[in-house]
Amino acid sequence: MDRSPAQNWETQLRKGVLEMAILFAMRDRDRFAIEFVDTLRRAAGLDVPEGTLYPLLIRLVKEGWAQTYWSAASATDTPRKYYRITDEGRRMLVEMWTRWSRLAQSMQELGEAPE
Amino acid sequence: MNRSLASPAARLLYADYLQRLDRSLSRIQDTVVGDLRQELIQHLDDLIERLPGDELDRVRLACIQLGEPSVMLASLIASDDISAGLQGWAKHRVISGLWRRVLIGGRGGLVAGLQLAFAVLMVTLVTIAVLSPFLPLHVGLLRYPDGQVLLGVSTVPAASEVLGWWRMPIGVIAGFVAWRLLKRSLSPST
């Protein structure tokens, strides 16, 4: 199905904010990979294909913004790999959010300015 | 296989997916591989568990949703190729990694395309330097009888070569500088 240029633009925009969205998703509690897919779809309407998610998660770990550990909810459950935001990740998230807010505000002012 | 599936067809599909996953993972030397395999299998099992339909449908849909391993891991394989090429002796892996990034596309693909062009230029310069004593009219800045000028390597002998013996030091030095610049441009992203 053909996508309109506006849809393509929105896709690129959403891809650009994925790292910030994943860090936000980890802010309150540690999560495993499939939970990111669910949370981001439900809370932010962001569709994150697994092909995009895993390289991104690995990058966050390599950057030192997240760390991982294996844990099972109970003794009978299969262990899962959880992602936890680090202090450095939290600092980065604040930085990203500040820049994002500034950009969004500029765009809003530009859009509301009289022609 | 860490999952008990009742249907032989579903088992076959599942095993085939794991085989393709292992094939793709075997191309990555990064330390994340062992962890990643277990994590992806867990993800696949979760999808099979939650998707609707009969067992075979669920396995088929889960494999589709998780994605083709070679595509899903393409950016990791590319980064691994580049970092192995930069650190080890198999420099050709840098070119193979850059080519993979070009195929992935997007902005990263565009940058990789430029880096790839730079890498090809570097290989050409070094090839000119190395082959010039043996093939003096086939490598270098070649001038043909019809006025055409070509920088590089050609199977057709030229009428003359413009740089002469300077092509050896020029090729080595320019190739080395190009390699250093390429290495610097690749370092932050790998």
Side-chain angles (χ1 to χ4, degrees):
Chain A
M1 194 171 66
D2 281 347
R3 291 163 59 87
S4 72
Q7 280 175 314
N8 287 333
W9 178 81
E10 190 185 353
T11 307
Q12 291 304 317
L13 188 68
R14 283 169 181 265
K15 270 187 189 169
V17 296
L18 267 184
E19 283 184 0
M20 184 169 70
I22 288 175
L23 289 173
F24 264 128
M26 272 188 282
R27 194 176 48 163
D28 298 330
R29 70 177 179 85
D30 306 347
R31 292 178 192 275
F32 51 92
I34 205 166
E35 280 190 311
F36 287 112
V37 180
D38 295 341
T39 307
L40 295 181
R41 187 174 296 148
R42 204 179 45 243
L46 287 171
D47 213 4
V48 195
E50 278 78 358
T52 308
L53 178 69
Y54 280 100
L56 210 56
L57 286 173
I58 290 170
R59 211 172 86 76
L60 293 184
V61 172
K62 284 190 173 174
E63 294 283 355
W65 301 341
Q67 57 191 33
T68 62
Y69 63 95
W70 287 85
S71 176
S74 72
T76 51
D77 276 339
T78 324
R80 291 170 190 284
K81 187 175 171 185
Y82 282 86
Y83 290 83
R84 173 188 290 156
I85 190 166
T86 60
D87 290 343
E88 207 181 328
R90 282 184 195 278
R91 276 194 292 275
M92 188 62 196
L93 181 58
V94 170
E95 188 73 21
M96 284 174 171
W97 179 242
T98 309
R99 282 162 196 262
W100 167 263
S101 306
R102 205 182 298 152
L103 181 67
Q105 196 183 343
S106 308
M107 286 297 119
Q108 186 146 2
E109 282 168 11
L110 199 62
E112 286 169 356
E115 285 180 36
Chain B
M1 195 185 301
N2 65 350
R3 195 190 155 75
S4 50
L5 294 162
S7 137
R11 270 207 303 273
L12 200 67
L13 208 60
Y14 188 91
D16 179 59
Y17 187 87
L18 290 199
Q19 208 169 30
R20 278 180 286 138
L21 177 65
D22 284 338
R23 216 174 15 242
S24 295
L25 285 172
S26 70
R27 310 203 55 169
I28 308 173
Q29 287 164 4
D30 201 299
T31 47
V32 298
V33 169
D35 245 14
L36 189 59
R37 183 182 191 276
Q38 204 180 333
E39 189 180 15
L40 289 171
I41 291 173
Q42 187 60 53
H43 197 131
L44 186 65
D45 289 350
D46 283 341
L47 289 173
I48 293 169
E49 202 79 35
R50 61 155 72 174
L51 283 167
D54 64 26
E55 196 179 62
L56 182 59
D57 277 345
R58 284 188 285 123
V59 173
R60 187 182 295 131
L61 286 172
C63 293
I64 291 170
Q65 196 168 321
L66 192 53
E68 184 54 41
S70 62
V71 177
M72 178 174 38
L73 301 172
S75 64
L76 288 177
I77 297 173
S79 295
D80 201 70
D81 268 347
I82 291 170
S83 106
L86 289 178
Q87 286 157 19
W89 288 102
K91 301 297 179 202
H92 64 279
R93 290 189 67 184
V94 174
I95 290 178
S96 130
L98 286 174
W99 179 239
R100 279 179 199 283
R101 280 189 180 166
V102 170
L103 294 180
I104 294 167
R107 188 176 154 272
L110 195 68
V111 173
L114 293 171
Q115 290 168 326
L116 186 63
F118 209 64
V120 170
L121 175 69
M122 181 198 76
V123 170
T124 307
L125 290 168
V126 173
T127 307
I128 288 173
V130 172
L131 292 183
S132 57
F134 310 105
L135 300 163
L137 290 177
H138 290 268
V139 295
L141 190 57
L142 305 170
R143 181 174 287 146
Y144 287 89
D146 60 359
Q148 203 186 347
V149 177
L150 169 88
L151 174 72
V153 182
S154 173
T155 50
V156 182
S160 63
E161 202 286 324
V162 180
L163 299 172
W165 293 109
W166 279 108
R167 70 195 130 162
M168 282 178 74
I170 288 174
V172 169
I173 294 167
F176 179 73
V177 170
W179 169 248
R180 297 291 299 195
L181 290 174
L182 180 67
K183 211 171 160 180
R184 184 178 292 183
S185 79
L186 285 168
S187 293
S189 57
T190 50

